[in-house]
Each structure stands twice: as structure tokens, then as C-alpha cells.
Amino acid sequence: RVVAHAVPRRHQPGQHRGWSSRVPIRNTQGDLYWVDWSFSQVLNNDGGIMSWVGIGLDVTEAVKIEKERERRLREEDKFRATATLAGGISHHFNNLLQVINGIAEVNLELIDDKHGTQASNLKRIIDASSQARVLVRQMLDFSRNTPMNQQPVDLAEMIKSFSMVISAAIPK
């Protein structure tokens, strides 16, 4: 059987052992403060512990600043992930739009009645895919974090064209 017991160690005069720690403390009003505590032994001439000395430093503001910095870094990471996702989706979506637009243009050339319902529907597909390409370009600009090229738009025309696309997509 092994018996363990503490043996006081003798240190050289002037040496010290201690510890430090950051501790959250609440005051009587419930406010949270952060304190860095540091304690050290004070030794006598024989190397025995004569007493302890400690000091506490209020680091609440430093902790708040550090937490805010960490929050901002997390937000930046989320932004970068969103931008990367937007870039990937944009490339795939752009490829699909090219196929849709190409098929609509070919079919428009193949039909005889250039003013009928079928031609009108194909022109709406071509117009909608052109507008979607603008959105894709904006998403790619966002993913590359490039400045947006802002231009005035005819909102009424944009709503009209989107309403045609949406009404065609919603079952009646």
C-alpha cells in the first residue's frame, strides 16, 4: 500500500510560487465583472511560506473588447462562407440560364409565327433569363467582394416582367 503525503518544500529566499487566474465576479446588483487575480507566496529567510500576497485587476472592459472582436471575426467568417456559397450557386445558375436562353432563342428562330402566343412566351423566357443574368452578375460581384455597379432601374417594368414570370410558375 502506497501512502502519499505532502512534504513542505523549502525554497530559497526571494523565490516565490504563485498562481493567477481570470475569474468572473458578480456584485450585489448582479453586474458581471472580470478580474485577473495573481497570488504569490512570501517566503521567510528559511524558505518557508511566511504569507501570501495577492492583487486583483478589473479587466471587464478588456474582456468585453475581446468578446466583441471574437463576435466580429465569427461574423466575417459567416460573410466569407456566404460569399463563397453565392459564388458557387451563381456559376451553376448561370450555366442553367445559358441553356434555357439558348433553347428559347433556337425555338424562337424555328417557329413560323413570330407574333403568336408561342413566340411571346419564348420572348418572355429570353427577357427573364436576361434579367436573371444581371442578378447572377450581382451575386458574383458580391462573392468577389467587388464594388457594385449601381444604376437606376425602371421599377415598374421590373415588377411587370417578374409578375409574368411568377404568374407562369404558380399553378392556377
Side-chain angles (χ1 to χ4, degrees), residues 28-169:
T28 55
Q29 289 81 31
D31 300 325
L32 182 66
Y33 292 91
W34 288 90
V35 179
D36 278 352
W37 289 103
S38 181
F39 289 94
S40 296
Q41 300 171 345
V42 178
L43 305 176
N44 60 23
N45 288 337
D46 297 331
I49 299 172
M50 190 168 67
S51 65
W52 287 83
V53 65
I55 187 168
L57 177 64
D58 182 354
V59 292
T60 305
E61 284 304 312
V63 169
K64 286 179 183 177
I65 290 168
E66 179 65 21
K67 288 186 179 198
E68 177 62 20
R69 187 180 71 75
E70 290 171 1
R71 185 194 65 75
R72 285 184 183 165
L73 286 173
R74 283 192 305 274
E75 289 297 318
E76 288 174 14
D77 287 344
K78 288 179 190 177
F79 179 80
R80 277 192 286 277
T82 303
T84 301
L85 180 63
I89 291 171
S90 297
H91 282 292
H92 290 296
F93 192 66
N94 197 41
N95 292 340
L96 294 171
L97 283 173
Q98 288 177 348
V99 171
I100 292 168
N101 195 48
I103 291 171
E105 287 177 350
V106 167
N107 280 315
L108 186 59
E109 291 298 318
L110 293 177
I111 61 172
D112 295 327
D113 184 8
K114 303 290 186 195
H115 301 289
T117 304
Q118 190 176 17
S120 175
N121 289 337
L122 289 169
K123 288 176 186 174
R124 286 177 29 201
I125 291 171
I126 293 168
D127 289 343
S129 67
S130 295
Q131 291 174 5
R133 276 198 302 264
V134 171
L135 292 174
V136 167
R137 192 173 312 113
Q138 290 173 347
M139 288 174 59
L140 286 171
D141 287 344
F142 170 77
S143 71
R144 294 179 189 130
N145 202 17
T146 55
M148 293 284 198
N149 182 15
Q150 297 180 352
Q151 297 176 349
V153 295
D154 183 350
L155 191 56
E157 182 61 35
M158 188 178 265
I159 291 171
K160 180 181 171 189
S161 63
F162 280 128
S163 67
M164 286 187 251
V165 173
I166 292 171
S167 65

Side-chain angles (χ1 to χ4, degrees), residues 14-33:
Q15 286 184 334
H16 66 279
R17 289 185 169 242
W19 63 270
S20 62
S21 181
R22 180 165 288 171
V23 180
I25 297 175
R26 289 207 183 269
N27 66 12
T28 55
Q29 289 81 31
D31 300 325
L32 182 66
Y33 292 91

